[in-house]
Amino acid sequence: MAKLRYAEALNTALREEMTRDPSVFLFGEDIGTYGGVFKVSKGLMEEFGEIRVRDTPISEQALTAMAVTAAMTGTRPVLEIMYADFLPLSLDALINQASIYEYIWKEQVQMPFVLRTQGGGGAGAGAQHSKALDALVAHIPGLQVVAPVTPSDARGLLKAAIRDPRPVIFLEHKLLYNTRGEVDLEDEGLIEIGKARTVTEGTDVSIFATSKMVIEAEKAATLLAADGISAEVIDLRSLRPLDAAAIQLSVAKTNHAVVVNEGWKFCGYAAEISATIMELCFDDLDAPVARVTLPDMPVPYSQPLEDAVLPNAEKIAAAARATLG
Amino acid sequence: MAKLRYAEALNTALREEMTRDPSVFLFGEDIGTYGGVFKVSKGLMEEFGEIRVRDTPISEQALTAMAVTAAMTGTRPVLEIMYADFLPLSLDALINQASIYEYIWKEQVQMPFVLRTQGGGGAGAGAQHSKALDALVAHIPGLQVVAPVTPSDARGLLKAAIRDPRPVIFLEHKLLYNTRGEVDLEDEGLIEIGKARTVTEGTDVSIFATSKMVIEAEKAATLLAADGISAEVIDLRSLRPLDAAAIQLSVAKTNHAVVVNEGWKFCGYAAEISATIMELCFDDLDAPVARVTLPDMPVPYSQPLEDAVLPNAEKIAAAARATLG
Amino acid sequence: MKNSPSLDDQVEMYRKMILVRRLEEAFGALSKEGKTRGPIHRCDGQEAVGVAATAMLGADDYLTSTHRGHAHYVGKGVDLHGIAAEILGRSTGLCGGRAGHMLVADVEKGMIGGNAIVGAGIPAATGMALSNQVLGNDRVAMTIFGDGASQTGIWHESLNMAALWKLPVVYVLEHNEYGLTVHSSRQGPTEDLSTRAAAYGIPTAIVDGNDAIAVYRAVAEMVDRARRGEGPGFVECKTYRWEGFSTSDMGGYQDPETIAEWKKRDPIEIARAALSGHIEDAKLDVVRTQAEEEVQAAMARALADPLPEFEECAYTRPYSEVL
Amino acid sequence: MKNSPSLDDQVEMYRKMILVRRLEEAFGALSKEGKTRGPIHRCDGQEAVGVAATAMLGADDYLTSTHRGHAHYVGKGVDLHGIAAEILGRSTGLCGGRAGHMLVADVEKGMIGGNAIVGAGIPAATGMALSNQVLGNDRVAMTIFGDGASQTGIWHESLNMAALWKLPVVYVLEHNEYGLTVHSSRQGPTEDLSTRAAAYGIPTAIVDGNDAIAVYRAVAEMVDRARRGEGPGFVECKTYRWEGFSTSDMGGYQDPETIAEWKKRDPIEIARAALSGHIEDAKLDVVRTQAEEEVQAAMARALADPLPEFEECAYTRPYSEVL
Ligand SMILES: Cc1ncc(C[n+]2csc(CCOP(=O)(O)OP(=O)(O)O)c2C)c(N)n1
Ligand SMILES: Cc1ncc(C[n+]2csc(CCOP(=O)(O)OP(=O)(O)O)c2C)c(N)n1
Ligand SMILES: [Mg+2]
Ligand SMILES: [Mg+2]
């Protein structure tokens, strides 16, 4: 099995799908000649040409709208939006266009496009380049939202997303690109959208995490283990649709739940998971579901400030302990 | 006391504040000559001139960004965005600009602007003109979000919003403009942002509702009363900041909660309220908090379809009954 | 003259303009009786733009439209009863009543679709043209939009990319002097809007939007260029909105004299005048009568059609929950 | 010549350009040593634009900037140590380390502010100009932005409104041929971008962006017009980015020969050449040395300053919860 960087795993997935299906094309800012600012599309313009791998002007609003209708008319566009912080510019196309057409037009169209972006803090990139705006896109009916953490999931979910007949918002994290993991390149490796992944099994408390927070949750589980607390870490992986069965099974076992997401708390993604757990597992819960998120404020630039606001293993462990009373 | 239409109450508030403070100005599409498509700014251009009441081109994205910086430099802009469905176009200005400056710039600036808009269904306006996108704006730190239901609250909250040193998103509802209610014009009538309003007291179940859904909740309370169920209806009124104390008090009494919001369910505003209730009132709750929302789909146009998807008194009453077991 | 419509084309445009006019009038009347739902945006007096701009397109070509799309729908060959039934929210409507009049789509006819977000049809057509370029086919995408829509930022992002990448897309501006209630002179600093397209090096033309032949010629040239891979074109059609913005418009801001002046330049009459001398009046009368009957029949049938039941169109994945 | 800078102005611009250049070099070196955080966007070779375009503004006038704002900050009179400390995330930084180098603001100096959302400074300045018009004061707002930013829709929405309402705002385009790694010829179909502003009837000028005097003259004329209530102006300054996009740029897409060509046209040398003959070399050397010392001192002080403690800047209402 090959050991790939997360960025390489994504690059592999793009190459595999572009080779398989000539209707797949990539566009976005700096993705061509330069290969993407995180080098995810490295080498693909050379390989597939300038029509199928296209550098674009800085026009996120139109680009997203164009992905929607290109997808409606025979192609499978993969659009890169450089930072999740720019998703607000994509939102009219997602909410007022992509979200509605299949239903409103009585299933006359489908929109097999993928919007890749990356969010999150920890790189000193400041308030306009460090946000996880998962809730904005997860709120939109008709979209699927995934956020892989391992290189293997990154490849498998990206391939599945490109083949899916419906829109997929594909959330990466700037601090994951250089992480490494095993990827079985012999295997097609598709991963079904809608299924969570159990990272660590445990019996005392369930920690449901997304994106890079899964890594923090794993570290938290180690911290908790030292206290004799057995934490089950679940990578939600598919933010929408949600794997409700996996959530229920886990909480039935542990009776305690912590939700971790790097977005803001109020009306954030963690709120949905918290409410859903309460609805599905009310009788199983021995304590309120805890949320660990970015506090409701901008991400500051300076290292000690940014460190103080980002959710991390210590905060997750503390929340788990508090939940256990 | 005068009996005013909701639209007239808003009009009065605008006139009062513009008279009091010359730095208040209005801009937006069709608000000048025509007086607004819902006639909220009727007569104000004649009264205050074209500099302070300005018809604009169809440019929501720039208009919102301009409101932010105009507010930073000595004026108090009140921007009308015709439909809440267009809020995605305003979102970069709200998330990446308005949300961050006061904090990031170390309190060097404040942004006293108001963005008025109206959302919601029931008028046969179709999938792009019927949404309540409360969650999108309520998610943003640094913004306050209010949604008055009565004419008196409409006037009082709009005046408070205009005087507030920080941004306020002011959510109206297309089916409220023609509703009437008592407004005490002798009184300044300011209403503090952050306080809920108890509509009906009750002891069996708490119904927390927003905007036009408060009216549906009141009707639901009547339906429930016929079954001998005593429902307490609370108008959240201030969606952010939230009146947590009012929520706690009510649930401590009733031990059952239903949240009603006209937006989508998944990652919607109701999810936040549901999660918050569970966190604050875990030991008081005898059943999971129920959510009554728009289903996760576009609002269809045809009457029977639209009727089927919108939350209403019957659905609220059914949820309350289910909660009571 | 190059790119001129044939006599047959002209008769067909004349016929379709009558279809649209009678449809608008029928809905205007129904609306006054309180028998319609939601706002309806009529295009009386502007029919030449939508009908003539689309007359040279094939069903394989794509068209995107606006909230005021009836002439565009009919021009693109969409079934009249399907349109009427959709506007009436009937289950027999083109979209089963889910869409309503602002959002009609008929994929088989390349009409995808109406759009009630001002400006949104512009990147939509541009994206379809991008798709055509990637697939290497010779389809053309067209979008018809208003003067109001020309103030949106997405207009510019779209035109820039279309020009940069030489996309096969034709932009047709239906300049009717109003964006809702605001006159175009209060929405932008210049009278002509196509100068903005010219700033991207896009070829432009300004034509009398009430003259179907003029619209046809100018647009046909741009469509040909686009189909040959020479990139986008832009046609600004000057016209005027006779009726209010929509059936819910309370009026009071349009000058009655200006309306009267424009009514003297009825596009249907102009089209008819161009035909007389070439085709007998009696024949044209038959065309007109048949068109009028077609509208009556479509409306009568649509009005008798059933409303949809929610169960037929509840919807699940990817919508995670329905009711 | 009308609107020419005085000799004093020229010396001051020369001095400020040296401040900026030395600051960029200092941060470039620190970054190589791994002592900076996040990407830093240097403007070596482009200093004339930011410094000269702002030289005729008062502290009451507003300026908005970009992610590449160091020359704009210094031009607008912001304290050098405050800038350096902010870039280093120190509590003594202009924003206490909360903002970082892309978002510096100093309200007293009218610098509000840097902006890392491409294009966002443009409506920002336009909104300030709107505020000036409503208040009836004679302040001018200016925004400096890049060729890449000129592709955003918000550029157009803003310019349209500025022209329509004759807002007192001046648009200064710092055209350095690149938007991140993509050459401007692959971002838009035309070489000049000011033609787009002209399409709104906005007066435009194209100048050598490496010649501070040329920039000053063109911009000063637009500032005067704006202040007189005659509406917006647009100046396109042609320059070039010597360094990569930011300190995290991996390079490989800029042609070394082109860079070398442009380095022969160093704006600092051009400014100095214009002064020689009017002012003794020895005096100019003193100006330079003092500027260099100022940068060294500011950097040394900033590096010794403490990082902020979170408690100093935790924040409550209207942020509903902190930690
Ligand atoms: C983004 C957006 N802003 C505002 C509106 C409200 N609105 C609907 S149509 C319209 C005017 C459009 O003018 P124009 O493009 O000239 O089209 P016309 O109505 O003249 O056909 C406005 C402002 C909207 N639907 N979408
Ligand atoms: C809306 C948005 N899209 C993309 C980016 C990423 N980005 C940052 S700077 C930049 C290039 C900007 O080019 P230009 O305006 O010419 O400024 P320059 O870097 O040349 O000074 C890009 C694409 C961003 N910050 N914001
Ligand atoms: Mg119009
Ligand atoms: Mg540039």
Side-chain angles (χ1 to χ4, degrees), chain A residues 29-30 58-60 82-83 86 89 128-129, chain B residues 92, chain D residues 41-42 46 66-68 102 115-120 145-150 152 173-181 187 241 245:
Chain A
E29 294 156 20
D30 304 278
I58 304 166
S59 301
E60 285 83 1
M82 202 184 289
Y83 282 76
F86 315 151
L89 297 166
Q128 295 173 326
H129 282 66
Chain B
D92 182 70
Chain D
H41 308 80
R42 299 170 56 174
Q46 305 177 206
T66 66
H67 56 288
R68 197 182 301 288
M102 295 193 274
N115 211 315
I117 299 297
V118 170
F145 55 91
D147 44 301
S150 304
T152 63
L173 165 56
E174 188 166 349
H175 193 322
N176 65 1
E177 295 197 11
Y178 282 91
L180 230 163
T181 68
Q187 297 230 9
R241 201 190 70 198
F245 169 70

Side-chain angles (χ1 to χ4, degrees), chain D residues 36-114:
Chain D
T36 57
R37 183 167 159 75
I40 296 182
H41 308 80
R42 299 170 56 174
C43 67
D44 312 57
Q46 305 177 206
E47 297 89 348
V49 178
V51 166
T54 54
M56 76 299 294
L57 297 180
D60 270 1
D61 295 320
Y62 301 118
L63 179 68
T64 72
S65 168
T66 66
H67 56 288
R68 197 182 301 288
H70 303 170
H72 316 164
Y73 303 158
V74 171
K76 199 65 172 63
V78 177
D79 175 58
L80 201 70
H81 164 261
I83 299 169
E86 188 60 36
I87 302 178
L88 290 165
R90 298 308 201 257
S91 71
T92 53
L94 274 159
C95 304
R98 300 179 193 182
H101 97 109
M102 295 193 274
L103 275 162
V104 171
D106 182 350
V107 170
E108 276 191 14
K109 296 285 157 55
M111 173 71 239
I112 40 179

Side-chain angles (χ1 to χ4, degrees), chain C:
Chain C
M1 204 168 152
K2 220 183 111 209
N3 290 316
S4 287
S6 69
L7 273 185
D8 279 355
D9 290 334
Q10 287 186 50
V11 173
E12 180 62 2
M13 295 194 291
Y14 173 64
R15 189 183 76 83
K16 283 184 167 173
M17 287 194 280
I18 296 169
L19 289 181
V20 177
R21 177 72 55 82
R22 294 292 101 84
L23 192 75
E24 300 307 60
E25 290 166 352
F27 275 105
L30 272 183
S31 162
K32 288 223 176 72
E33 296 170 38
K35 290 190 183 151
T36 56
R37 181 167 159 75
I40 296 180
H41 308 80
R42 300 171 56 176
C43 67
D44 311 57
Q46 306 178 204
E47 297 89 350
V49 179
V51 166
T54 54
M56 74 300 293
L57 297 180
D60 271 2
D61 295 319
Y62 300 119
L63 179 68
T64 71
S65 168
T66 66
H67 56 288
R68 196 182 303 287
H70 302 170
H72 316 165
Y73 305 158
V74 171
K76 199 66 173 62
V78 177
D79 175 59
L80 202 70
H81 163 260
I83 298 170
E86 188 60 38
I87 303 178
L88 290 165
R90 298 308 202 257
S91 71
T92 53
L94 274 159
C95 305
R98 301 180 192 181
H101 98 110
M102 295 193 272
L103 274 161
V104 172
D106 183 349
V107 170
E108 275 190 16
K109 296 285 158 54
M111 173 71 237
I112 41 178
N115 211 316
I117 299 296
V118 169
I122 300 167
T126 310
M128 294 172 190
L130 174 62
S131 174
N132 294 343
Q133 188 180 73
V134 169
L135 296 172
N137 63 33
D138 72 346
R139 296 177 177 199
V140 167
M142 179 182 291
T143 179
I144 309 181
F145 55 91
D147 44 301
S150 304
Q151 318 305 346
T152 63
I154 204 160
W155 187 104
H156 299 273
E157 294 189 355
S158 304
L159 269 83
N160 181 51
M161 285 189 264
L164 175 67
W165 296 332
K166 293 199 184 302
L167 297 180
V169 52
V170 178
Y171 299 100
V172 178
L173 165 56
E174 188 166 349
H175 194 321
N176 65 2
E177 294 196 14
Y178 282 91
L180 232 162
T181 68
V182 180
H183 191 261
S184 54
S185 61
R186 304 186 71 108
Q187 297 229 11
T190 61
E191 203 179 315
D192 298 334
L193 295 169
S194 48
T195 48
R196 303 176 185 186
Y200 298 98
I202 296 177
T204 63
I206 299 182
V207 298
D208 175 357
N210 284 18
D211 178 353
I213 297 177
V215 172
Y216 184 103
R217 280 187 190 135
V219 173
E221 189 187 330
M222 300 301 183
V223 168
D224 282 353
R225 286 189 77 252
R227 214 184 288 288
R228 288 195 306 264
E230 292 167 27
F234 190 104
V235 180
E236 175 165 359
C237 308
K238 306 278 197 186
T239 181
Y240 191 82
R241 200 190 70 199
W242 294 359
E243 295 294 320
F245 169 70
S246 79
T247 46
S248 40
D249 191 337
M250 290 172 254
Y253 57 89
Q254 271 178 291
D255 172 25
E257 279 184 33
T258 311
I259 300 177
E261 279 306 311
W262 276 93
K263 283 196 172 170
K264 291 187 197 146
R265 305 203 53 260
D266 183 338
I268 297 178
E269 295 314 318
I270 293 173
R272 169 111 184 193
L275 282 167
S276 76
H278 303 284
I279 296 186
E280 281 166 44
D281 259 15
K283 278 204 182 153
L284 292 170
D285 286 344
V286 171
V287 169
R288 186 179 57 208
T289 312
Q290 283 181 350
E292 289 173 346
E293 284 167 5
E294 191 182 333
V295 173
Q296 276 163 25
M299 288 297 295
R301 204 179 124 206
L303 280 163
D305 285 341
L307 290 169
E309 311 260 336
F310 184 69
E311 289 61 38
E312 303 170 23
C313 54
Y315 203 64
T316 53
R317 194 178 147 113
Y319 303 103
S320 47
E321 187 240 30
V322 174
L323 290 192

